[in-house]
Amino acid sequence: MKLSKNNLEQRIDHVYDVIIVGGGAGGLSAAIYLQRYRLSCLVIEKGKGRSFWMQDVTNYMGLQPHTPGRNVLQQGQEHALAVGADYLRGFVEDVTDEEDLFNVKVKIGKQNSIYSVFRSKYLIAASGIIDNLPCLEDMQNVYDYAGYNLHVCLICDGYEMADKQCGLFVGSEGAINTAFVLNWFTPYITVFTNAQVNVGESMRQKLKDHGYRLIEAPIQNFGHNHEMTGVELADGSTVELQTGLVAMGSIYHDGYLRGIELKRSGNNLVTDAMRRTSHERIFAVGDIKEGINQVSIAVADGTLAATAIWREIRQASPPRRWEENLIGAVL
């Protein structure tokens, strides 16, 4: 059921087997499998996650080459609802562990917001990350390019940048090292710091030794109509480009878990092979966990987590018997 302010009362007292925080590829995959395992789940999605901004999903088997990420998510949501999942647009503010159950506090609606608490036996963190983007005066200009030919994932989209004039947009000196992986796909690299990074002499020399340009002037805009042809600088000059890669770090959407002690590697949650965290009833899937950030990986993560939860619930439940046959045998 699709939940909203108008029908929450139908579910507010229900104890779900699993609440999934995040309705991206990993969360929706988990929901579909949980429901097919005849368990109950609620997906809580805040909206406009990383997958939503992908304009072309070009590396997932079976999809048409230019399938927008939002289409993938819409189809996944419809699939989850069709097998009986509950789905709510809202923002998870806090999760508390009450021994046997989780209490999940959700803010619903940006205006005239209401707050509700939902309960579940297990929790799947699928809330993901969002990439930091170059900070320009006109941020809409950045959004117009992000997900088209301004990429955020080298592993996903290196192929799309092959042998093209590529801008690498960095937020730290360390991120400049991305250039020395990007060069597997293209050697035509220009590094942009947008006047935000102090670059040491050693790094300057390394770039020079590889023939890569370093542009430290502020960026004015990325152009027009989504198709990058060059970056205009604040001084009015233009650096010609055909594509770009942003390497400025990410924001992790996991504030709701900060009250629960979980093992981390940097900002990522550490999980076992079935995506269980250091808390026995919390699983993590997709970009929020340690590992490679890929749609295909997130979908598999959701499958693994759902299967692990089903196995535990099944093993703890009494077997179902064919009572009519048992009665007949006695008679």
Side-chain angles (χ1 to χ4, degrees):
M1 180 192 305
K2 205 164 188 177
L3 300 181
S4 68
K5 292 180 182 180
N6 299 324
N7 62 358
L8 288 179
E9 69 282 353
Q10 297 183 46
R11 289 291 192 265
I12 207 68
D13 294 324
H14 179 71
V15 175
Y16 290 94
D17 290 307
V18 188
I19 287 178
I20 304 167
V21 184
L28 290 171
S29 171
I32 290 165
Y33 269 83
L34 287 166
Q35 292 296 142
R36 288 174 61 86
Y37 286 136
R38 305 188 73 180
L39 300 176
S40 65
C41 74
L42 167 64
V43 179
I44 304 172
E45 165 60 16
K46 63 176 176 47
K48 295 188 177 180
R50 200 183 198 204
S51 299
F52 180 86
W53 292 104
M54 294 187 302
Q55 305 303 328
D56 290 319
V57 180
T58 57
N59 61 344
Y60 194 90
M61 187 185 70
L63 290 182
Q64 291 296 321
H66 299 292
T67 302
R70 66 190 67 191
N71 288 13
V72 177
L73 298 182
Q74 182 62 37
Q75 291 170 14
Q77 181 191 139
E78 291 171 359
H79 191 169
L81 287 168
V83 290
D86 285 347
Y87 185 97
L88 173 66
R89 286 295 293 268
F91 182 81
V92 175
E93 291 200 336
D94 186 52
V95 173
T96 56
D97 183 4
E98 304 295 337
E99 296 186 6
D100 295 329
L101 295 176
F102 292 109
N103 289 332
V104 180
K105 181 181 177 183
V106 185
K107 176 184 177 182
I108 304 162
K110 292 184 178 179
Q111 296 180 346
N112 301 318
S113 303
I114 64 171
Y115 293 83
S116 292
V117 175
F118 297 90
R119 295 175 295 160
S120 66
K121 302 170 187 174
Y122 289 82
L123 185 84
I124 295 179
S127 41
I129 64 176
I130 195 70
D131 302 276
N132 293 316
L133 296 174
C135 186
L136 306 187
E137 184 175 340
D138 179 12
M139 285 304 297
Q140 184 58 49
N141 178 250
V142 182
Y143 303 144
D144 286 344
Y145 283 81
Y148 286 91
N149 60 358
L150 179 59
H151 305 284
V152 295
C153 178
L154 176 58
I155 294 173
C156 303
D157 297 324
Y159 179 85
E160 314 303 326
M161 296 177 271
D163 296 324
K164 293 181 179 179
Q165 291 281 350
C166 183
L168 175 62
F169 303 91
V170 301
S172 68
E173 185 182 49
I176 296 175
N177 285 305
T178 305
F180 309 109
V181 182
L182 176 60
N183 63 14
W184 173 265
F185 296 99
T186 180
Y188 311 122
I189 299 170
T190 302
V191 176
F192 293 84
T193 68
N194 197 25
Q196 301 294 313
V197 179
N198 292 321
V199 183
E201 288 305 318
S202 176
M203 181 60 76
R204 291 176 184 275
Q205 187 60 49
K206 189 175 182 181
L207 290 170
K208 185 177 180 180
D209 290 344
H210 284 74
Y212 306 154
R213 296 182 295 184
L214 175 64
I215 305 294
E216 298 178 88
I219 298 170
Q220 184 65 35
N221 67 65
F222 285 96
H224 307 282
N225 299 324
H226 305 301
E227 196 67 32
M228 186 180 296
T229 57
V231 169
E232 182 183 341
L233 303 177
D235 63 10
S237 62
T238 298
V239 180
E240 293 185 2
L241 294 176
Q242 296 169 290
T243 188
L245 175 66
V246 178
M248 298 182 65
S250 305
I251 298 169
Y252 287 71
H253 295 304
D254 63 350
Y256 58 93
L257 291 173
R258 291 300 176 178
I260 300 174
E261 186 174 344
L262 296 170
K263 185 177 180 181
R264 298 174 184 270
S265 175
N267 290 317
N268 294 101
L269 292 169
V270 175
T271 68
D272 66 11
M274 296 302 286
R275 307 310 182 243
R276 190 193 307 268
T277 69
S278 54
H279 188 298
E280 64 180 359
R281 291 182 293 112
I282 298 178
F283 290 72
V285 304
D287 297 348
I288 200 171
K289 74 167 208 324
E290 189 177 26
I292 298 175
N293 299 346
Q294 297 279 287
V295 171
S296 54
I297 300 295
V299 169
D301 286 344
T303 305
L304 289 168
T307 302
I309 292 169
W310 168 65
R311 285 175 178 171
E312 286 191 3
I313 292 176
R314 174 177 58 83
Q315 290 166 3
S317 301
R320 299 178 68 194
R321 302 179 186 275
W322 190 348
E323 298 294 343
E324 293 83 357
N325 266 1
L326 290 175
I327 294 171
V330 170
L331 295 176

